[in-house]
Amino acid sequence: LEEKAKFVTELTDFIDKFLSFVDSDLNINYKRHSAIMEQVEAMIEVHLNSLDNLRRILKRSPTAKARVFKPPMLPGEHMILEAIHAYLLPDGRDIGTWVPA
C-alpha cells in the first residue's frame, strides 16, 4: 500500500512537470492546469483500481503451464536432444518430397 502511494505520487509529479512545460508553451493559465491535473489524478486512480482488480483475478486463477509439442520431423531428421526445445523454420522443402542423398 505504501509502495502504491509512492508510485502514485511519483507518477503525478512527473505528469505535473510535463504539463507545466506544455502549459508554458501553450500559455495555459494556472486554473486550467489545475483542472487538467484533477482529471489526470482521477484517471490514475481509475486505472490503478482496474489493475488491482485484474491482479486479484490473476492471483485466483491458476495459469496452465505452456506445452511445447514435438515438431513434425521430415523424413531422415531426428531429435538430437529431447530436452532442448526448438522450432524448425521452413527451408523451402515441401513435406514428403525430400529424398535423402
Side-chain angles (χ1 to χ4, degrees), residues 28-65:
I28 295 177
N29 62 17
Y30 178 76
K31 186 176 179 181
R32 181 67 181 140
H33 174 83
S34 297
I36 293 171
M37 277 309 296
E38 286 177 13
Q39 292 174 346
V40 166
E41 289 169 358
M43 289 304 292
I44 290 172
E45 191 64 33
V46 166
H47 285 292
L48 286 177
N49 287 338
S50 66
L51 288 174
D52 284 342
N53 292 337
L54 180 63
R55 185 176 46 133
R56 270 188 248 116
I57 291 169
L58 290 176
K59 277 187 175 180
R60 283 190 307 216
S61 63
T63 52
K65 185 177 178 182

Side-chain angles (χ1 to χ4, degrees), residues 59 67-68 100:
K59 277 187 175 180
R67 295 180 184 170
V68 179

Side-chain angles (χ1 to χ4, degrees), residues 76-94:
E77 291 182 323
H78 62 280
M79 284 283 205
I80 297 173
L81 296 173
E82 291 291 331
I84 297 177
H85 298 287
Y87 293 100
L88 297 176
L89 299 175
D91 59 0
R93 298 179 286 182
D94 291 330

